[in-house]
Amino acid sequence: MGIDRVELIREELKTKKVVYVHHLADKLYVSRSTIRRDLAQLEQEGLVRRFYGGAKLIEHPSNEIPFFMRKERNRAAKEIIAELATDLVTDNQFVALDTTSTVAYLPRYLKDKENLKILTNSAQLALDCLDQLHSARIFCTGGWMSSFSRGFIGETTRLRISEYRTDILFFSARSISLEEGVTDVNEEDAYLKQQMIRGTRKSVFLCDHTKFDEISYRLVCPVQDLDYLVTDQRPSDKWLHHLESAGVEVIFPE
Amino acid sequence: MGIDRVELIREELKTKKVVYVHHLADKLYVSRSTIRRDLAQLEQEGLVRRFYGGAKLIEHPSNEIPFFMRKERNRAAKEIIAELATDLVTDNQFVALDTTSTVAYLPRYLKDKENLKILTNSAQLALDCLDQLHSARIFCTGGWMSSFSRGFIGETTRLRISEYRTDILFFSARSISLEEGVTDVNEEDAYLKQQMIRGTRKSVFLCDHTKFDEISYRLVCPVQDLDYLVTDQRPSDKWLHHLESAGVEVIFPE
DNA sequence: GTGTTCGCGCTCAACTTCGAGCAAATGAGC
DNA sequence: GCTCATTTGCTCGAAGTTGAGCGCGAACAC
């Protein structure tokens, strides 16, 4: 990859803050495909946030970016899932939430529920709930902070989770497969999810369509442990049948 | 979606508080449909409330405001104090931080310290440290969230604090007086501060000039419990003498 | 109440951009 | 020269964005 060109784009970003694919392509005498690839690389580095037609400089780089990017990926799907999922919540319930980016969309849709209690190990989510759910009581586990999930991990966290019995748990993970069930890439997070599942009456797995038929290396739980699976598109008949026979209620639009 | 345009609408909202579809459409040279779509997006984000013909900025949609206002009050003084205070920190130390708005200024000035450990009961501060102090390990107490301090309170919090021995504690409070020492208005916070003081080797009280000679109803600690007091102006001789005879080292500019 | 005006949301068509896949071009090492 | 890996440009189907048109309902004057 032409080091020069990417370097020039960096320079451009320093002064301009916002760059456009078509403009850079004209200026640097390369195709738009090439510019798009360059911008994808800069996004990967956490330097810019891309938008339709160009990219914008991220002013204050921080640990927040990887999480922010996960949150933005498949945004539409996650909104749909959040809206469907919150129908499962009733007033006065004790709700457990994990640190995933999908779950981060829930608070807004929980606004009209009264008198909830929330248990989470995500610092960011705890603050979001505090700001949006005025009638809720929010309990946060504490523990050592993970820059990956921007939440708490470790033995303290696990202990705190084990001390509570929640009515309903909303969680997500990287992947789900017929053979292995729910799997993820992060050892610590998987461990905490297991603890959360043990401590709740109903487990709801939030799962956009891209997560099906993928396998990550760390087992979280078998499909049988789930009570509900909420997704954004009708799963295949094979999956519907598999989930039904495992006793999982599947929720999807229409 | 053209990020630019939405960004411009945000700018407009900062000054105008109310925007109109027809006005924005004319100003930004796009159709009214497009503006309506943008406003719908901003409404989704919870930034505005739409009305027939336009949208209105939601002034302060969250619990964040009281804290935000405390943080902005005497900003200059707090910056000075933060810079002076962080000179007391050396690499590898275990630092305790409370939930006050003055302490919230510290992380930026701790950037050049290596290998710190942080203990705090503030969710916001924990996230700030995570983003700014890449080499630090951050422990957060957890507990029930207080909308007043945007941090954790309660028995769990107190217990977690009591489990750690820190090298240096930075904290603040509403007021300090010759007769009563450090006092505050919040029962729970005062209680946690006491616990933090018990668990640390050095206590540093951050105290802008407005806090002197005020009394709030809840006692936090006598002056003798402090090791350092950092302030933004030279205190009166009476105070300097009082603090010196109580064994408190006073730090102020010049 | 009635009528008028105007904004809203929806849909559709035109247009643009995106990203994956593939083949050509480039260039380093032998 | 040749080989291999990387980079680039092109194509094409999918997805995103925009503005115009239309029916509906809200706001307002009377």
Side-chain angles (χ1 to χ4, degrees):
Chain A
M1 184 147 327
I3 295 279
D4 295 336
R5 196 184 49 245
V6 179
E7 218 53 52
L8 285 172
I9 298 176
R10 280 186 222 273
E11 288 302 318
E12 189 83 1
L13 276 163
K14 274 181 196 161
T15 54
K16 297 278 178 57
K17 311 292 182 197
V18 179
V19 294
Y20 300 93
V21 172
H22 68 93
H23 176 237
L24 286 174
D26 291 352
K27 187 163 177 173
L28 303 175
Y29 303 105
V30 291
S31 72
R32 299 186 179 190
S33 293
T34 302
I35 297 296
R36 272 191 276 272
R37 273 187 280 250
D38 292 343
L39 293 181
Q41 181 192 328
L42 290 172
E43 181 181 46
Q44 205 59 34
E45 291 174 19
L47 188 73
V48 299
R49 209 178 121 203
R50 296 181 68 189
F51 60 86
Y52 193 80
K56 183 167 182 288
L57 183 69
I58 293 174
E59 297 283 356
H60 301 293
S62 72
N63 283 323
E64 194 172 345
I65 291 139
F67 182 83
F68 184 75
M69 280 172 54
R70 286 203 297 279
K71 188 168 175 184
E72 286 300 308
R73 201 194 319 276
N74 287 321
R75 178 180 188 132
K78 288 171 182 175
E79 295 274 7
I80 292 168
I81 291 169
E83 191 163 6
L84 289 172
T86 46
D87 286 342
L88 296 169
V89 180
T90 58
D91 292 349
N92 310 310
Q93 277 193 317
F94 195 0
V95 181
L97 303 172
D98 79 349
T99 59
T100 53
S101 61
T102 310
V103 170
Y105 284 88
L106 290 182
R108 184 144 31 95
Y109 296 98
L110 290 171
K111 264 184 179 164
D112 52 333
K113 315 289 178 185
E114 290 295 325
N115 195 36
L116 296 178
K117 281 190 292 191
I118 309 278
L119 168 68
T120 181
N121 66 320
S122 162
Q124 187 63 64
L125 197 53
L127 285 169
D128 287 348
C129 288
L130 187 71
D131 289 337
Q132 307 219 25
L133 313 177
H134 293 222
S135 77
R137 289 202 70 192
I138 298 143
F139 187 88
C140 190
T141 62
W144 292 100
M145 278 212 106
S146 150
S147 61
F148 178 75
S149 64
R150 296 175 69 74
F152 303 115
I153 58 173
E155 179 63 10
T156 304
T157 312
R158 198 190 59 73
L159 259 170
R160 286 296 85 65
I161 293 171
S162 73
E163 287 167 1
Y164 290 89
R165 289 291 168 273
T166 56
D167 293 312
I168 188 163
L169 160 68
F170 295 94
F171 77 111
S172 189
R174 185 69 71 91
S175 43
I176 184 169
S177 70
L178 291 168
E179 306 80 23
E180 304 294 343
V182 179
T183 51
D184 206 337
V185 293
N186 191 295
E187 184 75 18
E188 267 289 326
D189 282 345
Y191 196 40
L192 294 176
K193 286 181 216 300
Q194 293 177 340
Q195 190 70 50
M196 286 179 144
I197 292 168
R198 275 198 286 277
T200 195
R201 288 177 48 237
K202 298 285 180 192
S203 293
V204 185
F205 183 53
L206 308 185
C207 178
D208 68 60
H209 65 278
T210 66
K211 296 180 194 288
F212 285 100
D213 297 311
E214 302 283 328
I215 300 182
S216 306
Y217 66 84
R218 181 56 163 86
L219 186 70
V220 175
C221 71
V223 174
Q224 287 76 16
D225 281 8
L226 306 177
D227 295 292
Y228 299 92
L229 184 149
V230 184
T231 183
D232 60 313
Q233 295 176 5
R234 186 181 201 281
S236 67
D237 288 338
K238 185 186 66 178
W239 264 106
L240 283 175
H241 180 261
H242 180 71
L243 290 166
E244 189 189 352
S245 63
V248 183
E249 185 170 334
V250 184
I251 298 172
F252 54 89
E254 252 96 324
Chain B
M1 178 129 357
I3 290 282
D4 272 356
R5 197 183 45 247
V6 179
E7 214 61 51
L8 286 171
I9 297 175
R10 283 199 172 90
E11 287 301 317
E12 191 82 2
L13 277 163
K14 273 182 195 161
T15 54
K16 296 278 177 58
K17 310 292 183 197
V18 179
V19 292
Y20 299 93
V21 173
H22 68 94
H23 177 236
L24 285 174
D26 292 351
K27 187 164 177 174
L28 303 175
Y29 303 104
V30 291
S31 73
R32 299 183 180 190
S33 295
T34 302
I35 296 295
R36 273 192 277 272
R37 274 186 281 250
D38 292 343
L39 293 180
Q41 182 191 326
L42 290 172
E43 183 179 45
Q44 266 295 100
E45 290 174 18
L47 189 73
V48 299
R49 205 178 72 237
R50 297 181 65 188
F51 60 85
Y52 199 77
K56 182 168 179 292
L57 184 68
I58 294 176
E59 287 289 354
H60 289 302
S62 72
N63 285 321
E64 198 169 326
I65 302 83
F67 182 83
F68 184 74
M69 280 172 56
R70 286 202 297 280
K71 187 166 176 184
E72 286 303 309
R73 202 198 316 278
N74 288 320
R75 176 177 193 129
K78 289 170 182 176
E79 294 275 6
I80 291 168
I81 290 169
E83 189 164 7
L84 288 173
T86 46
D87 286 342
L88 295 169
V89 179
T90 58
D91 293 349
N92 311 309
Q93 278 193 317
F94 194 2
V95 181
L97 303 172
D98 78 350
T99 58
T100 53
S101 60
T102 311
V103 170
Y105 285 88
L106 289 183
R108 189 145 41 93
Y109 296 98
L110 290 171
K111 264 185 180 166
D112 53 334
K113 314 290 179 186
E114 290 295 324
N115 195 35
L116 295 177
K117 280 191 293 192
I118 309 278
L119 168 68
T120 181
N121 66 321
S122 162
Q124 186 63 63
L125 197 53
L127 284 169
D128 287 348
C129 288
L130 186 72
D131 288 337
Q132 307 219 24
L133 312 178
H134 293 221
S135 75
R137 291 201 70 191
I138 298 142
F139 187 90
C140 191
T141 62
W144 292 98
M145 279 211 106
S146 150
S147 62
F148 177 75
S149 66
R150 296 174 67 73
F152 303 115
I153 58 173
E155 179 64 7
T156 305
T157 312
R158 198 189 59 72
L159 260 171
R160 286 295 85 67
I161 293 173
S162 73
E163 287 167 1
Y164 291 89
R165 289 292 168 273
T166 56
D167 293 312
I168 189 164
L169 161 69
F170 294 95
F171 77 110
S172 189
R174 184 68 71 92
S175 43
I176 185 169
S177 70
L178 291 168
E179 306 80 21
E180 304 293 343
V182 179
T183 50
D184 206 338
V185 293
N186 190 295
E187 185 75 19
E188 266 288 329
D189 282 344
Y191 196 39
L192 294 176
K193 287 184 217 296
Q194 292 176 340
Q195 191 70 50
M196 286 180 145
I197 292 168
R198 274 198 288 277
T200 194
R201 289 178 47 238
K202 297 285 180 191
S203 293
V204 184
F205 184 53
L206 308 184
C207 178
D208 68 62
H209 64 278
T210 66
K211 296 181 194 287
F212 285 99
D213 298 311
E214 301 285 328
I215 301 182
S216 306
Y217 67 84
R218 181 56 163 87
L219 186 69
V220 176
C221 69
V223 173
Q224 286 77 15
D225 281 8
L226 306 177
D227 295 291
Y228 298 92
L229 183 150
V230 183
T231 184
D232 59 312
Q233 294 177 6
R234 186 180 201 280
S236 66
D237 287 339
K238 184 185 66 179
W239 264 106
L240 283 174
H241 180 260
H242 179 70
L243 290 165
E244 188 188 353
S245 63
V248 184
E249 184 171 333
V250 184
I251 298 172
F252 53 88
E254 254 106 321

